[in-house]
Amino acid sequence: MPNASALAASSALRAHCVGQLNSVLRRPGAYGDLDTAVWFLMDHLLVVEKDDPGAWAAEQSRLTESGAWYADGVQGAFEKLLRLETGRDVHAASVYAEFAHRRGWLTLDRTLSKDEYDAVRGALHDWCAADRDLPDAVTAFGEPSVVFGSANPRTGKALAYATTAPEDPMLVLHLWNDYGSGRTQPAVLAARIGGDLLPESFTFTPFGRLPRPSGEESG
């Protein structure tokens, strides 16, 4: 039996789980089933924090009510809304990241000031009136706070812009590409404000309204 005094402190366990959760959210394709991996890590974090053991169940109920939870979890919502047959995990990760951000678990690569955030939020609707790609997004809004998906430009990904304030909904751009598309950069399908996946929460680009071929690659 291990010596109890030699066990890691709760702060070390929390730091480990937070690090693992951020890895899963950023590269979900490398961790198998996204829903299972996220659930285990968030469940462990809630236990370590001894805060609110029912918080994840409450979040699932909120997601269901807001159109973001199907029989196959959040990924099913993106199959319907963005017409993605595969490669949905990176987009679903951006929704799970909303909960992680509110809990203080999400590590941001770039933190927007309130003025920067308001400028991005105010520009999204008109910006999506034309077709855009990844370089267009970075030029318009700067480097994202988090990129969900790999750096490979042939695969889909989601870009999130966020402040340190959990009450500010994350601003997310959903992008698509695959190896057979002929595109050198992923195309923006839609912008989303916050964790609701109701149709009215999305602003689609012209390309985002078109059907896409099957066979998209996962991030």
Side-chain angles (χ1 to χ4, degrees):
M1 293 291 292
N3 185 342
S5 63
L7 297 178
S10 59
S11 58
L13 293 174
R14 182 186 186 279
H16 174 76
C17 288
V18 165
Q20 289 295 301
L21 178 61
N22 278 272
S23 294
V24 169
L25 292 173
R26 283 167 164 78
R27 292 296 305 275
Y31 289 87
D33 182 72
L34 171 68
D35 299 326
T36 301
V38 166
W39 181 84
F40 273 112
L41 287 166
M42 289 186 174
D43 181 65
H44 292 166
L45 279 165
L46 290 169
V47 170
V48 169
E49 291 182 351
K50 298 181 180 179
D51 186 8
D52 185 359
W56 179 235
E59 175 66 3
Q60 286 178 302
S61 296
R62 189 197 69 79
L63 290 171
T64 300
E65 293 172 0
S66 64
W69 191 271
Y70 283 51
D72 53 351
V74 174
Q75 298 189 51
F78 282 105
E79 180 177 2
K80 178 180 179 181
L81 289 164
L82 300 184
R83 299 182 297 282
L84 297 175
E85 295 183 5
T86 59
R88 300 168 295 170
D89 51 359
V90 296
H91 305 286
S94 71
V95 176
Y96 291 129
E98 294 270 356
F99 181 71
H101 186 41
R102 293 198 301 271
R103 303 292 308 190
W105 301 334
L106 186 65
T107 301
L108 302 179
D109 299 322
R110 173 194 170 204
T111 302
L112 273 66
S113 69
K114 184 62 174 175
D115 287 345
E116 290 172 326
Y117 175 88
D118 289 343
V120 174
R121 183 168 183 170
L124 281 178
H125 185 273
D126 290 343
W127 187 81
C128 286
D131 286 329
R132 310 287 188 178
D133 60 17
L134 176 59
D136 293 331
V138 175
T139 298
F141 307 126
E143 293 295 331
S145 301
V146 185
V147 177
F148 305 99
S150 78
N152 188 337
R154 297 291 187 180
T155 62
K157 55 196 89 268
L159 315 180
Y161 293 84
T163 71
T164 57
E167 64 270 17
D168 291 333
M170 289 174 59
L171 311 175
V172 183
L173 297 175
H174 297 282
L175 296 87
W176 171 88
N177 202 3
D178 71 11
Y179 288 91
S181 72
R183 293 178 175 273
T184 59
Q185 293 290 343
V188 178
L189 300 178
R192 173 174 59 83
I193 298 176
D196 294 341
L197 294 190
L198 300 170
E200 56 267 28
S201 300
F202 288 76
T203 301
F204 290 89
T205 63
F207 179 77
R209 299 188 187 98
L210 299 175
R212 275 161 295 288
S214 60
E216 305 99 321
E217 295 293 331
S218 171

